[in-house]
Amino acid sequence: MKATLAIPKNYNNVAAFHEKLAASKRILAVCGAGLSAASGLPTFRGAGGLWRNYDATELATPGAFRQDPVLVWLFYAYRRHMALKAKPNAGHHALAALAKKMPEFLCLSQNVDNLHPRANHPDDQLKLLHGSLFDIKCFNKSCGWIEHHNYADPFCPALVAASEDVEPGKALPLLDPKQKLAKIPESELPKCPSCKTGLQRPGVVWFGEQLDEQMLRDIDAWIDRHVVDMVLVIGTSSVVYPAAGYAEKARTEGHTSVVTVNLDAATPENLYQLEDEDFAFAGDAVVLLPQLLEPVIGPANGDGTYE
């Protein structure tokens, strides 16, 4: 634990960060919704995190799906559609480039939008903590059916309203809480092709559900295998566990640098929590990551890619 309340003098010194980066062999990244927000995707957390006047987090539960699977599927079908329209940004591409340059780099992402894979981030150096919008599984807990990489848009004919686009400046009827949703029978949602009884559901981790145990064991094994030199905390307020705990879990006191890249990284509350070897860079990860990682990954192409 930090002994004093002093802010590290080099907390935002890019040259000092580059010196640490050059000496780092093992780097862990923990990414949150702020990285996806730069691609135009809403975070659905905090102020403004509403969808048709529903608290979006209240729709992300097994109970909500059990009570109204059509409403929950409309929400997720809309998110699938928006994610498919979005493109990986320069931050995603910088992290993918780092993975290709550094075999001992592991990225943990809380995002379910598949923008990391679409930036060609190597699969074996990426853990999607909360699953993917484009994995589909059975709601029946006793059934293990799952389908990966389902990019159907609309997901099914009954959910076509979630995949509609409108002219700029106009509101999408689906998003207007004053307009009643068309009645969609639950029977029009697809059933599991394996057990024939359970409804298909998004393959994301809902509130009240456990993260994949094997994935968690793999992450712990990676952290425990050798000293982690640096942890990049990108676009996350670090309030959702277990993701929020990985920076300290990977820290070796006096050695590991925790590097926060976030819009609010330089608030007094955050700065006074830094250890002497830590860094905090306030700003958009889309701009900062390519600059911070350039000594390793090189300059980006004009479109933000590295290939």
Side-chain angles (χ1 to χ4, degrees), residues 55 172 282:
D55 183 333
L172 183 67

Side-chain angles (χ1 to χ4, degrees), residues 176-190:
D176 185 354
K178 296 179 182 178
Q179 295 195 32
K180 290 186 177 180
L181 293 173
K183 183 65 176 178
I184 301 173
E186 182 179 320
S187 60
E188 294 187 14
L189 295 177

Side-chain angles (χ1 to χ4, degrees), residues 81-123:
H81 177 68
M82 296 302 294
L84 287 172
K85 289 179 61 178
K87 295 181 179 180
N89 60 54
H92 295 105
H93 288 299
L95 292 171
L98 181 63
K100 294 168 185 176
K101 294 284 187 178
M102 183 174 288
E104 283 289 282
F105 169 61
L106 180 64
C107 181
L108 314 180
S109 181
Q110 301 171 81
N111 301 330
V112 297
D113 47 48
N114 266 36
L115 291 178
H116 287 285
R118 287 170 56 195
N120 295 320
H121 196 117
D123 288 343

Side-chain angles (χ1 to χ4, degrees), residues 9-149:
K9 63 179 181 180
N10 287 325
Y11 78 88
N12 65 349
N13 186 310
V14 175
F17 169 80
H18 282 164
E19 183 178 348
K20 176 68 177 186
L21 179 66
S24 296
K25 302 299 182 184
R26 303 190 80 232
I27 297 179
L28 180 70
V30 183
C31 301
L35 184 59
S36 293
S39 289
L41 296 179
T43 63
F44 289 116
R45 181 174 289 280
L50 299 178
W51 186 83
R52 287 188 61 87
N53 282 348
Y54 291 95
D55 183 333
T57 60
E58 293 180 359
L59 296 176
T61 69
F65 189 81
R66 193 174 292 110
Q67 179 178 349
D68 194 341
V70 171
L71 176 66
V72 173
W73 250 124
L74 282 169
F75 171 59
Y76 279 97
Y78 170 73
R79 292 185 63 184
R80 281 166 57 96
H81 177 68
M82 296 302 294
L84 287 172
K85 289 179 61 178
K87 295 181 179 180
N89 60 54
H92 295 105
H93 288 299
L95 292 171
L98 181 63
K100 294 168 185 176
K101 294 284 187 178
M102 183 174 288
E104 283 289 282
F105 169 61
L106 180 64
C107 181
L108 314 180
S109 181
Q110 301 171 81
N111 301 330
V112 297
D113 47 48
N114 266 36
L115 291 178
H116 287 285
R118 287 170 56 195
N120 295 320
H121 196 117
D123 288 343
D124 60 348
Q125 291 173 269
L126 176 66
K127 301 293 185 184
L128 300 178
L129 297 175
H130 297 163
S132 169
L133 290 169
F134 303 100
D135 289 345
I136 307 298
K137 60 184 184 180
C138 181
F139 187 62
N140 187 344
K141 288 185 177 181
S142 63
C143 178
W145 177 83
I146 186 168
E147 177 187 7
H148 299 286
H149 312 302

Side-chain angles (χ1 to χ4, degrees), residues 244-297:
Y246 278 122
E248 292 306 316
K249 191 170 189 176
R251 185 193 290 276
T252 296
E253 197 70 28
H255 175 80
T256 306
S257 293
V258 175
V259 183
T260 305
V261 181
N262 201 14
L263 293 175
D264 64 355
T267 63
E269 179 183 3
N270 291 331
L271 292 181
Y272 281 114
Q273 295 181 28
L274 300 180
E275 302 287 341
D276 289 341
E277 60 272 17
D278 293 346
F279 296 89
F281 297 99
D284 194 334
V286 171
V287 176
L288 291 175
L289 283 178
Q291 296 174 354
L292 293 172
L293 301 178
E294 185 171 355
V296 174
I297 64 178

